[in-house]
Amino acid sequence: MMKTYAIVYKQDHYSKKIAEQLREGLSHQMIYDEDSPELVISVGGDGTMIYSVHKYIEKLETVSFIGIHTGTLGFLTDYQCDECDELIQDILKGEYKTYSRCLLEVSFDSKKVLGMNEVRVENNRRSQVINVYINDDFFETFRGNGLCVSTASGSTAYNKSLGGAVIHSGAGLMQLSEIAGIHHNAYRSLGSSLILDWTHRIRFESSDCDGAILGVDNYVFDLKGETSIDVKLSDRKVRFVQYKRVPFIKRLKRSFLSE
Ligand code: NAP
């Protein structure tokens, strides 16, 4: 059984109540340690899970994550809000497996940032021109609102709204999707999503990024002028605890197809 834990909860009354219930149930046998937890329990939705991962991004090698759902979607969370007692019992029983999710590593402007869902260059003020290089070879010139590179975990997030494919969460793949690309006789880019493995690196180059932003999950950076952005699958991963098996297809159906 893990000895230390921390709780990250969505800032609403209900999530706070669930967090208190969890703390009460776990406090006799585990130590609450905000700085160095072995287990981080995320109470909220996928947005809260993404926030939790970023909060502990420097400690990914020693931290594992589990989620309880009080948000609107909850694709990344294993427990529903009425399963709080079950989660407490499972944590205290201490029998679990772990699995990992891939992250993206984005380098730009002498910065290095990790993303769990996606990296996107977006410009809503004017059409953005981006030269795309794959492993240093020129691939295409894109014109439109922007480009998005998502992980398998992020394939059900922004990428899905762009018409990209849903990828099984365990796959070490990244997906390049267009955001409102312009396609006609003069301007041509692939149009469909492109799925690549860890042997590939994607580079976006633009001579003018004024007005554009670089979005990494829920973080936003302003871009200016000539810009070069490198994206690849990171060597670092996020470890999740699995106390009970929630098959990927069941998760998908529950989140996107059930009424
Ligand atoms: P947010 O309000 O935290 O999230 C927006 C929606 O995306 C929520 O319904 C959230 O689910 C869902 N979501 C987040 N990660 C997901 C995942 N891996 N799989 C399935 N659904 C997921 O928005 P934010 O703080 O601005 O950005 C966080 C993430 O939200 C971004 O990385 C982006 O992928 C996603 N987003 C998507 C769109 C879109 O599809 N058009 C627009 C904005 C942001 P919960 O309700 O369970 O939290």
Side-chain angles (χ1 to χ4, degrees), residues 45-47 72-76 117-118 153-154 156-158 161 217-218:
D46 296 327
T72 48
L73 181 63
F75 188 73
L76 301 168
N117 267 349
E118 78 283 300
S153 301
T156 45
Y158 194 63
S161 303
D217 298 345
N218 47 342

Side-chain angles (χ1 to χ4, degrees), residues 87-124:
L87 175 58
I88 293 169
Q89 294 315 314
D90 286 347
I91 293 173
L92 295 179
K93 219 188 292 161
E95 289 163 18
Y96 59 86
K97 291 182 177 165
T98 60
Y99 65 98
S100 295
R101 290 178 182 271
C102 288
L103 295 169
L104 291 171
E105 183 182 301
V106 199
S107 308
F108 68 102
D109 203 14
S110 331
K111 292 187 190 73
K112 210 167 256 184
V113 182
L114 296 177
M116 178 157 153
N117 267 349
E118 78 283 300
V119 174
R120 49 196 197 274
V121 174
E122 281 183 277
N123 198 332
N124 293 320

Side-chain angles (χ1 to χ4, degrees), residues 27-168:
S27 62
H28 303 295
Q29 297 187 46
M30 290 177 80
I31 300 160
Y32 193 87
D33 185 345
E34 185 94 29
D35 290 333
S36 304
E38 288 168 87
L39 179 68
V40 169
I41 310 168
S42 168
V43 182
D46 296 327
T48 313
M49 180 61 85
I50 299 291
Y51 174 81
S52 308
V53 169
H54 280 280
K55 180 168 178 185
Y56 289 98
I57 206 98
E58 300 300 335
K59 301 187 172 171
L60 291 183
E61 284 68 24
T62 53
V63 174
S64 300
F65 296 83
I66 185 82
I68 180 161
H69 176 216
T70 60
T72 48
L73 181 63
F75 188 73
L76 301 168
T77 51
D78 285 359
Y79 289 80
Q80 302 300 308
C81 50
D82 58 355
E83 294 175 329
C84 189
D85 289 338
E86 189 188 334
L87 175 58
I88 293 169
Q89 294 315 314
D90 286 347
I91 293 173
L92 295 179
K93 219 188 292 161
E95 289 163 18
Y96 59 86
K97 291 182 177 165
T98 60
Y99 65 98
S100 295
R101 290 178 182 271
C102 288
L103 295 169
L104 291 171
E105 183 182 301
V106 199
S107 308
F108 68 102
D109 203 14
S110 331
K111 292 187 190 73
K112 210 167 256 184
V113 182
L114 296 177
M116 178 157 153
N117 267 349
E118 78 283 300
V119 174
R120 49 196 197 274
V121 174
E122 281 183 277
N123 198 332
N124 293 320
R125 290 169 185 266
R126 58 188 176 84
S127 66
Q128 183 64 47
V129 183
I130 304 171
N131 289 323
V132 179
Y133 294 79
I134 296 177
N135 290 351
D136 294 328
D137 290 325
F138 173 73
F139 179 65
E140 64 177 8
T141 298
F142 168 87
R143 288 176 180 81
N145 281 31
L147 288 167
C148 170
V149 182
S150 59
T151 59
S153 301
S155 69
T156 45
Y158 194 63
N159 167 76
K160 191 169 181 299
S161 303
L162 300 174
V166 171
I167 297 180
H168 187 279

